[in-house]
Amino acid sequence: DQQVKQNSPSLSVQEGRISILNCDYTNSMFDYFLWYKKYPAEGPTFLISISSIKDKNEDGRFTVFLNKSAKHLSLHIVPSQPGDSAVYFCAASEVDYKLTFGKGTLLTVNP
Amino acid sequence: EPEVTQTPSHQVTQMGQEVILRCVPISNHLYFYWYRQILGQKVEFLVSFYNNEISEKSEIFDDQFSVERPDGSNFTLKIRSTKLEDSAMYFCASSARGLANYGYTFGSGTRLTVV
């Protein structure tokens, strides 16, 4: 039962270019969507979120886009930096206490 | 920056043994959570805890699991009789506001290996 899907297990980009990480969901009751970043041997770190009533949220180099009709969201990182290399998790919430995570995408930014 | 601290970082236990995973949430946070990640799989919600009681739990969180806040600072997850399939990374998290959409702060995790 994969309510949140990240279909790309990995992504490799050049430093300075755009990284686009994608996420699809199936549960139309999800009200909030979040992105977390995870380095090895650390816990996930909250990055950015978006409410279902919006279609875009921007925070510095990070922008999240939400397409409700397609049940799709994406995280754009511009410009990508080597320090952005990590696993990125898409997560969703139904306005309750729990998050439903995707399996994650390993982003590698090459110098 | 405030942190969620988890101990131990790695625990090996024999099948059938009880194990207690410990967490110190951020001091002014009121909501506490446990998640786990089996190797190669997604991070899964186990339980949320507020005001000294469970506010929500998943179907994974069966009678073998329990949580406790024994004092003002610690938050523990107990597995009574561990099974091989309990081997996973267990993450504790805390938040100042309860709803998941506000985001939480996660600890670095405890890797539990059941042999």
Side-chain angles (χ1 to χ4, degrees):
Chain A
D1 173 28
Q2 280 196 69
Q3 296 188 66
V4 177
K5 301 178 193 178
Q6 293 178 258
N7 291 320
S8 298
S10 63
L11 174 68
S12 183
V13 300
Q14 283 299 118
E15 181 178 4
R17 304 294 289 268
I18 184 171
S19 296
I20 300 176
L21 298 126
N22 293 303
C23 178
D24 297 295
Y25 63 95
T26 57
N27 185 349
S28 56
M29 299 298 291
F30 285 142
D31 203 54
Y32 257 87
F33 303 89
L34 304 91
W35 286 93
Y36 279 80
K37 179 168 78 172
K38 186 182 179 303
Y39 293 118
E42 294 185 14
T45 302
F46 171 71
L47 201 54
I48 191 169
S49 65
I50 187 167
S51 162
S52 61
I53 62 172
K54 296 189 174 182
D55 55 18
K56 178 182 174 181
N57 188 26
E58 194 170 351
D59 183 1
R61 297 186 296 115
F62 302 91
T63 304
V64 57
F65 295 92
L66 175 63
N67 182 334
K68 273 191 77 174
S69 60
K71 292 192 174 70
H72 177 84
L73 63 153
S74 60
L75 175 68
H76 293 211
I77 306 173
V78 183
S80 302
Q81 299 172 353
D84 295 330
S85 297
V87 176
Y88 287 79
F89 291 100
C90 172
S93 165
E94 288 186 42
V95 195
D96 56 11
Y97 295 105
K98 70 176 187 289
L99 290 172
T100 301
F101 282 86
K103 285 191 174 184
T105 296
L106 173 63
L107 173 66
T108 303
V109 180
N110 301 302
Chain B
E1 188 165 328
E3 287 184 343
V4 173
T5 306
Q6 288 187 245
T7 55
S9 56
H10 190 189
Q11 174 137 12
V12 181
T13 189
Q14 289 211 322
M15 191 169 55
Q17 294 294 305
E18 175 183 286
V19 66
I20 297 176
L21 308 182
R22 301 180 192 281
C23 170
V24 179
I26 293 173
S27 62
N28 63 342
H29 285 184
L30 300 175
Y31 299 85
F32 314 112
Y33 314 88
W34 284 100
Y35 282 75
R36 78 172 186 190
Q37 185 180 25
I38 294 171
L39 187 64
Q41 300 191 24
K42 60 183 180 176
V43 177
E44 300 174 291
F45 170 78
L46 292 178
V47 66
S48 61
F49 190 87
Y50 169 71
N51 199 26
N52 281 319
E53 59 183 35
I54 291 172
S55 43
E56 193 168 355
K57 63 181 180 179
S58 72
E59 50 196 39
I60 302 169
F61 193 88
D62 61 22
D63 292 344
Q64 292 301 313
F65 291 88
S66 61
V67 289
E68 195 177 35
R69 188 153 162 83
D71 53 41
S73 59
N74 289 286
F75 179 52
T76 61
L77 173 69
K78 182 193 290 186
I79 309 174
R80 286 190 185 79
S81 177
T82 49
K83 304 188 278 283
L84 294 176
E85 54 264 38
D86 293 327
S87 295
M89 194 75 168
Y90 287 80
F91 294 105
C92 173
S94 69
S95 68
R97 294 181 284 183
L99 295 178
N101 49 280
Y102 294 120
Y104 328 129
T105 302
F106 282 89
S108 297
T110 293
R111 179 170 299 284
L112 176 65
T113 303
V114 182
V115 297

